[in-house]
């Protein structure tokens, strides 16, 4: 079965650089979520999109922005990178709205900021 | 104080043991309760989800929710070395989108 695809899997950047993470949801899933997981930490919700509109916002820094495109893939843009941005970034997708909708997680993008 | 509290472990048990993993929470609005398993450097994988209080069983796994105590548990019977992973509880409020995760409990099942 198709899963959530994230690219790149690994990314190394310098401080103050920009990074773009991509997420391709499971086919027919219309909702995408972004989470950040620091070393030894729980995943922290950043932002989500439903049908290309922002649906919820968590602890996403102003330096980060995201969007969902017409083909439902999503991109997380991170500017002025800081050392503390080094983390595993997960994308998850789900289908439908309201009540419980299982979120399927991708393998993550490991971002290292030097 | 975090909305969801989970003992980070690590928890080491012998093969075949019954494992009990727990989370407590403070937000009484949580309606959906999930358990995820995460292997090292992999994305979380859903094991169980429950809605409302009570027990739910799936193979060797049983999820239990006690809303009055704001306490959830995951039991693993006949634990196997392949169960060695980090187990994350997650919760959500009905009709919102984000999950709130616990910190995860690292489990090691010794052969």
């Amino acid at each position: 079965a198709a899963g959530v695809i994230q690219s790149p899997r690994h990314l190394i950047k310098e401080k103050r650089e920009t990074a773009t993470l991509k997420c391709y949801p499971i086919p027919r899933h219309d909702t995408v979520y972004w989470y950040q997981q620091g070393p030894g930490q729980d995943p922290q919700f950043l932002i989500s999109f439903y049908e290309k509109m922002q649906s919820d916002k968590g602890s996403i820094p102003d330096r980060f922005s995201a969007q969902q495109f017409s083909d439902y893939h999503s991109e997380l843009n991170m500017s002025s990178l800081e050392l503390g941005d080094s983390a595993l970034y997960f994308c998850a997708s789900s289908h439908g709205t309201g009540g419980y909708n299982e979120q399927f997680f991708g393998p993550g993008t490991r971002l290292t900021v030097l | 104080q975090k909305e969801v509290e989970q003992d980070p472990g690590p928890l080491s048990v012998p093969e075949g043991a019954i494992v009990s993993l727990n989370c407590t929470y403070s937000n009484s609005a949580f309606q959906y309760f999930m358990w995820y398993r995460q292997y090292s450097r992999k994305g979380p994988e859903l094991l169980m989800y429950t809605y409302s209080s009570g027990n739910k069983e799936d193979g060797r796994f049983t999820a239990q929710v006690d809303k009055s105590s704001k306490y959830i548990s995951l039991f693993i019977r006949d634990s196997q070395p392949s169960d060695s992973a980090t187990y994350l509880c997650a919760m959500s409020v009905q009709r919102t989108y984000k999950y709130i995760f616990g910190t995860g409990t690292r489990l090691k099942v010794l052969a």
Side-chain angles (χ1 to χ4, degrees), chain A residues 82-107:
Chain A
E82 301 174 356
L83 296 178
D85 296 329
S86 296
L88 198 52
Y89 290 83
F90 288 110
C91 171
S93 72
S94 71
H95 176 67
T97 62
Y100 174 72
N101 299 291
E102 177 183 347
Q103 294 184 22
F104 292 85
F105 282 77

Side-chain angles (χ1 to χ4, degrees), chain A residues 9 31 33 35 37 41-45 48 50 55-56 90 97-103 105-107 110, chain B residues 2 32 34 36 38 41-46 49 88 92-104:
Chain A
R9 293 294 309 278
T31 307
Y33 317 77
Y35 292 84
Q37 186 176 31
Q41 305 287 316
D42 51 303
Q44 293 287 319
F45 172 75
S48 62
Y50 165 66
S55 53
D56 201 358
F90 288 110
T97 62
Y100 174 72
N101 299 291
E102 177 183 347
Q103 294 184 22
F105 282 77
R110 183 168 295 279
Chain B
K2 290 173 68 76
Y32 297 93
M34 283 69 66
Y36 278 84
Q38 186 176 23
R41 300 178 179 271
K42 302 283 188 181
E45 170 196 9
L46 182 72
Y49 91 90
L88 296 150
S92 70
V93 176
Q94 191 171 15
R95 297 192 180 279
T96 64
Y97 296 90
K98 62 185 178 186
Y99 285 1
I100 306 299
F101 282 88
T103 51

